[in-house]
Amino acid sequence: SAGVTIDQVSTATLVSDDDERVTVDVRVEQTPQGSVWMLPNGQGQLDIEHYTMAGEGSMTFDPMLPLPVEGKLVLSGDQVYVDPDATTRLAQSQVDRVEWHSPEN
């Protein structure tokens, strides 16, 4: 997110491996590096009061193809920002979903 530097840790765990398919579970966690969100265009800053963003999913690969043949990843979290004078609070909940499938023959 612009104005907030985020550390992201992604962990991939091999679940199964046969000659035709490889399945990997994925876990993602994000945390802000600092405690301030610098607003664009010099509009000031907001303090990060609360920040969570994490998710998980699974991907299946065909070792003969360059991209996953199936997968799903869902990230969700809640963030709360407050102005330095504590007069305004901005809260948001966010869910990001990515899903893909190979075309059926």
Side-chain angles (χ1 to χ4, degrees):
S1 166
V4 177
T5 302
I6 301 294
D7 284 330
Q8 178 172 302
V9 176
S10 302
T11 304
T13 304
L14 179 64
V15 175
S16 67
D17 180 8
D18 62 39
D19 291 337
E20 295 181 21
R21 297 283 191 257
V22 174
T23 302
V24 176
D25 283 348
V26 178
R27 174 93 180 129
V28 177
E29 295 182 40
Q30 295 180 344
T31 55
Q33 285 185 355
S35 60
V36 173
W37 175 18
M38 297 303 296
L39 299 174
N41 301 318
Q43 295 298 308
Q45 68 184 41
L46 295 175
D47 295 331
I48 301 171
E49 183 175 280
H50 175 77
Y51 189 104
T52 61
M53 192 67 166
E56 57 189 30
S58 182
M59 290 182 269
T60 301
F61 299 88
D62 179 333
M64 302 303 292
L65 299 174
L67 298 172
V69 294
E70 186 173 48
K72 181 178 182 179
L73 178 64
V74 179
L75 294 170
S76 62
D78 299 299
Q79 296 87 37
V80 178
Y81 306 96
V82 63
D83 74 275
D85 297 327
T87 58
T88 303
R89 175 174 266 109
L90 168 65
Q92 70 178 12
S93 293
Q94 181 175 337
V95 177
D96 296 319
R97 291 180 176 86
V98 177
E99 196 168 340
W100 60 96
H101 302 277
S102 291
E104 302 279 323
N105 291 336

